Amino acid sequence: MLSHPRYWLSWVAVGLIQGLGRLPFPVIWALGTLLGRLGYRFASARRLVGRRNLELCLPDASPAERERILRAHFGWLGVAALSQGVRWGISRARIARLTLIRNREFIDSCIAEGRPVILLAPHFIALELGGAAFMALVHPGVHMYQKVRNPVMDWRVRTARCQFGSIPVERQDDLRGLIREIRKGAPFIYLPDQDAGRRGIFVPFCGQPAATVPMLGRFAALTDAVVIPTFARFLPWGRGLEVIFDPPLADFPSGDPHQDAARMNAVIEARLHSMPEQYFWVHRRFKTRPPGEPPIYPPKRRRRK
């Protein structure tokens, strides 16, 4: 039972996060930026990962420019962390005030024609709140969900993500249910750009071999879906966020998993260069290496028992 005393601290944390989410968004932006600056100072392991990723992905930028991007990135990480409380229980009216939607005609025309849609939604900082904006203001959809270990947080996150009619599908579930929902017209929000481990295939990302899940082309082929690259970003000074739809991918899928995965990565890479401060740099994207290649990141420190 979630009312058990061992979960009381979790409920206090939920209440605190949700309370912060009721603050005006410029205040959340200011507090989140301060929190992120502290994170840059003290989260040394994540700072090293972000710095290494920027070296690999933005080799033409000067060291000073990459460090500026990394500092700004940590600030946006803080904003994203405090925005979690905004996501929990937000009203349509508030999210409409906060959100600017660009190029909506790309998604609206597909929905009007009854075409299945897959939203290619990489891990930019505002993804969580951008997903809520899509569900509330554009169309309810389906998303993959991975359980949070803490059952109180799991309940809170799952409840929030289902608020506007979104349909959760567990990552470990039979994917036939997901395919049925896409075919029935529920846009599928697909997050493709994390290290895939040994189940992935190696295709280029920013010039580096990256273990990538080769499922976007397969999903598109099984559902006859249009793939629309979709990006969310926070606006400066707490003015809200943008949800941006790019043109649907033409001649996709190709039938070649490597070609489709490489094209997907190229789409993400192109948008990454347009708003580098808000890409999720602290993820160990190149953790899985091709056979015989040395590791890119320093080993994680083991916790003392």
Side-chain angles (χ1 to χ4, degrees), residues 107-169:
I107 180 80
D108 284 346
S109 61
C110 292
I111 292 173
E113 295 169 5
R115 293 290 307 276
V117 173
I118 297 173
L119 303 181
L120 171 57
H123 284 81
F124 285 87
I125 294 298
L127 178 61
E128 184 75 19
L129 203 52
F134 177 82
M135 301 295 180
L137 306 177
V138 180
H139 197 283
V142 58
H143 67 275
M144 282 187 142
Y145 180 77
Q146 185 168 351
K147 283 186 177 181
V148 179
R149 288 183 180 179
N150 184 303
V152 173
M153 291 295 181
D154 183 75
W155 171 84
R156 180 64 273 188
V157 171
R158 181 187 289 266
T159 301
R161 289 184 178 176
C162 296
Q163 181 182 357
F164 300 110
S166 178
I167 303 165
V169 175

Side-chain angles (χ1 to χ4, degrees), residues 236-257:
W237 303 102
R239 298 202 307 267
L241 70 152
E242 283 183 329
V243 175
I244 307 164
F245 298 107
D246 279 354
L249 299 186
D251 303 318
F252 188 91
S254 68
D256 181 336

Side-chain angles (χ1 to χ4, degrees), residues 31-286:
L31 292 175
T33 300
L34 177 60
L35 177 65
R37 288 176 179 173
L38 292 173
Y40 175 86
R41 185 178 181 88
F42 294 108
S44 59
R46 290 293 182 179
R47 188 174 67 240
L48 289 174
V49 170
R51 191 173 288 149
R52 185 71 175 117
N53 283 335
L54 285 164
E55 290 173 355
L56 294 169
C57 296
L58 300 180
D60 295 333
S62 69
E65 175 63 9
R66 290 197 296 265
E67 200 64 20
R68 183 200 68 77
I69 291 171
L70 184 61
R71 287 177 180 270
H73 173 66
F74 268 86
W76 289 117
L77 281 175
V79 175
L82 294 191
S83 296
Q84 188 69 246
V86 180
R87 176 71 174 91
W88 294 352
I90 193 170
S91 67
R92 286 184 199 272
R94 187 183 188 195
I95 204 162
R97 291 195 302 270
L98 288 175
T99 307
L100 176 64
I101 300 178
R102 296 193 179 277
N103 307 328
R104 180 170 174 162
E105 63 275 11
F106 293 134
I107 180 80
D108 284 346
S109 61
C110 292
I111 292 173
E113 295 169 5
R115 293 290 307 276
V117 173
I118 297 173
L119 303 181
L120 171 57
H123 284 81
F124 285 87
I125 294 298
L127 178 61
E128 184 75 19
L129 203 52
F134 177 82
M135 301 295 180
L137 306 177
V138 180
H139 197 283
V142 58
H143 67 275
M144 282 187 142
Y145 180 77
Q146 185 168 351
K147 283 186 177 181
V148 179
R149 288 183 180 179
N150 184 303
V152 173
M153 291 295 181
D154 183 75
W155 171 84
R156 180 64 273 188
V157 171
R158 181 187 289 266
T159 301
R161 289 184 178 176
C162 296
Q163 181 182 357
F164 300 110
S166 178
I167 303 165
V169 175
E170 289 279 356
R171 288 185 182 274
Q172 290 77 24
D173 284 354
D174 188 335
L175 292 181
R176 286 177 293 186
L178 172 63
I179 299 299
R180 285 195 297 269
E181 294 295 341
I182 299 172
R183 287 174 174 171
K184 287 192 296 185
F188 172 38
I189 299 180
Y190 182 55
L191 287 60
D193 57 327
Q194 291 192 313
D195 181 81
R198 293 302 172 190
R199 62 193 175 93
I201 60 175
F202 288 101
V203 293
F205 181 64
C206 295
Q208 301 294 325
T212 304
V213 178
M215 289 299 296
L216 180 62
R218 184 179 177 191
F219 282 138
L222 289 172
T223 60
D224 192 29
V226 177
V227 176
I228 301 178
T230 306
F231 308 92
R233 78 177 186 103
F234 287 119
L235 297 172
W237 303 102
R239 298 202 307 267
L241 70 152
E242 283 183 329
V243 175
I244 307 164
F245 298 107
D246 279 354
L249 299 186
D251 303 318
F252 188 91
S254 68
D256 181 336
H258 284 79
Q259 182 176 328
D260 291 341
R263 186 175 179 193
M264 176 186 76
N265 282 356
V267 168
I268 299 168
E269 182 180 341
R271 181 57 74 173
L272 175 159
H273 287 286
S274 73
M275 46 182 184
E277 295 87 354
Q278 296 199 36
Y279 189 64
F280 194 50
W281 292 114
V282 295
H283 170 63
R284 296 161 71 94
R285 181 65 182 92
F286 306 107

